[in-house]
Amino acid sequence: MITTHQEFVDVADESTVKEGFTERELGHKIERYGNVATVLSSYEGKNESTGKVVTRGVNIFQLYFDGKRWWILSMVWDQENPANPIPPDLLPKS
């Protein structure tokens, strides 16, 4: 599903504020060529009110370095499901 920033906020804000939400990175992989990079970052999201993991998946960032700092050009993500597990190389090493 593609949404604008405001559409995402409108849908997510109520439950996020009510339940609380934290997201932590599980692992990442960086591919860089010169001043551009793609980062795959696996995550898990928890409701603070229960401590329960409610989502896992992979964020993908496209970045550009202007000589002073990195800029996020785009971000997309997909949630994990039985047919689409997080790849092993993006999970913590046991």
Side-chain angles (χ1 to χ4, degrees):
M1 176 169 73
I2 297 172
T3 63
T4 67
H5 176 262
Q6 189 59 54
E7 289 168 337
F8 176 79
V9 169
D10 291 345
V11 170
D13 194 45
E14 183 179 340
S15 65
T16 301
V17 171
K18 180 181 174 186
E19 300 293 328
F21 182 79
T22 58
E23 185 175 294
R24 77 175 182 101
E25 182 179 67
L26 301 173
H28 67 268
K29 180 169 53 171
I30 301 170
E31 293 288 333
R32 180 178 176 183
Y33 177 75
N35 292 324
V36 296
T38 299
V39 179
L40 280 74
S41 172
S42 61
Y43 67 86
E44 71 176 16
K46 289 184 180 182
N47 280 349
E48 286 186 1
S49 62
T50 63
K52 180 180 174 189
V53 173
V54 294
T55 186
R56 286 176 24 132
V58 176
N59 295 317
I60 301 173
F61 301 91
Q62 289 185 317
L63 307 171
Y64 173 73
F65 186 68
D66 69 2
K68 294 183 181 180
R69 62 167 277 193
W70 286 97
W71 294 88
I72 298 172
L73 301 176
S74 69
M75 178 188 167
V76 296
W77 65 91
D78 201 358
Q79 292 181 327
E80 181 179 51
N81 63 57
N84 189 38
I86 295 174
D89 63 336
L90 289 175
L91 291 171
K93 309 296 184 249
S94 301

